[in-house]
Amino acid sequence: MTVLKRRNNEFFIAAAFLLLSLTFSTVLFNSLDEHYTHLIQERSNIGGSGTFSGARILSILALNSIALLGFSLRQSSQILLVIATVGILFAFRSMLESCSRLPRSRASLLAPAILIPMVWNYVILSGILFPEDIPALLLFTLGLAFLFRDKRRYFHIVFLLAILNRESSVFLLPAMFLIQVGKRNLLKLTGHILALVCVCV
C-alpha cells in the first residue's frame, strides 16, 4: 500500500469516526433533560461542592477551557464528548491491533462496535451522564492500549490523567497485572503496581 493510499484511508477513517461520534453525541444529548445542564453548571466550579466530585477535576478543566472560546457549558460538554468519543474509537482500534493482532483495516471496521455498549449504557439503561464519564472511558481505553503495546511511559501519563478525571481509573492497575504477568518479573511488577497505588491514595 502506497503512502498516499494509506493517508487517504486514514482520512476517510477519521471522517467516519467523527461522523459516528457526532451521531452518538446527538443521540446521547437528546436523551438528557435539564438536570444535566444544572449538573454541569454546579460542577463547573472545579468539581462542585461535594467531596466525592471534588477530586474529578480534569474534565471540568477541559469543559471550562472550551467554554472560554464562547460556548455555553452544555455546548462545551457536547464538544468534549465528541472529542473523547473520536479518541475512544482510535484508542479501541489501537487496542484491537495490539491484543488481537488484527490488521489496521479490520481493526478500523471493528472499532465502532464499542459504541454499542456505550449507547446501551448511557442512552438506553441510564439517563444520567457526568462530564467525566466519556473522557474516563477514553483514558481507560488508552491505558489498556498502551499496556498491550508495552509503552510504559505513555501508560503512566494516561494513568495520572485518568486518576485526576475519575477514581475508578484505579482498575487500570489490576488490568496492568493481568496483561503483564508472565512478561515481567513478578516481584518488580507487584512493586510497580503498589507504587502506583500509593500515587492514588
Side-chain angles (χ1 to χ4, degrees), residues 32-97:
L32 299 173
D33 56 23
E34 285 303 307
H35 288 95
Y36 182 71
T37 303
H38 297 312
L39 171 69
I40 55 177
Q41 286 172 344
E42 177 191 312
R43 296 281 296 283
S44 65
N45 184 22
I46 310 299
S49 55
T51 313
F52 176 70
S53 60
R56 301 176 168 190
I57 62 169
L58 186 68
S59 290
I60 301 303
L61 288 172
L63 198 68
N64 288 339
S65 298
I66 296 169
L68 289 175
L69 299 174
F71 297 101
S72 69
L73 280 173
R74 191 177 177 94
Q75 290 170 332
S76 300
S77 181
Q78 192 164 9
I79 291 168
L80 180 61
L81 176 63
V82 171
I83 293 169
T85 305
V86 170
I88 288 168
L89 291 169
F90 277 106
F92 190 57
R93 181 183 76 169
S94 176
M95 197 177 86
L96 287 173
E97 287 180 273

Side-chain angles (χ1 to χ4, degrees), residues 20-34:
L20 287 168
S21 299
L22 287 167
T23 304
F24 171 71
S25 166
T26 302
V27 170
L28 178 55
F29 267 74
N30 283 339
S31 73
L32 299 173
D33 56 23
E34 285 303 307

Side-chain angles (χ1 to χ4, degrees), residues 3 13 38-39 42 55 68-69 79 98-99 117 121-122 139 141 154 157 162 197:
V3 174
I13 288 165
H38 297 312
L39 171 69
E42 177 191 312
L68 289 175
L69 299 174
I79 291 168
S98 301
C99 67
N121 187 53
Y122 293 109
L139 292 166
T141 310
Y154 295 118
I157 294 169
V197 169

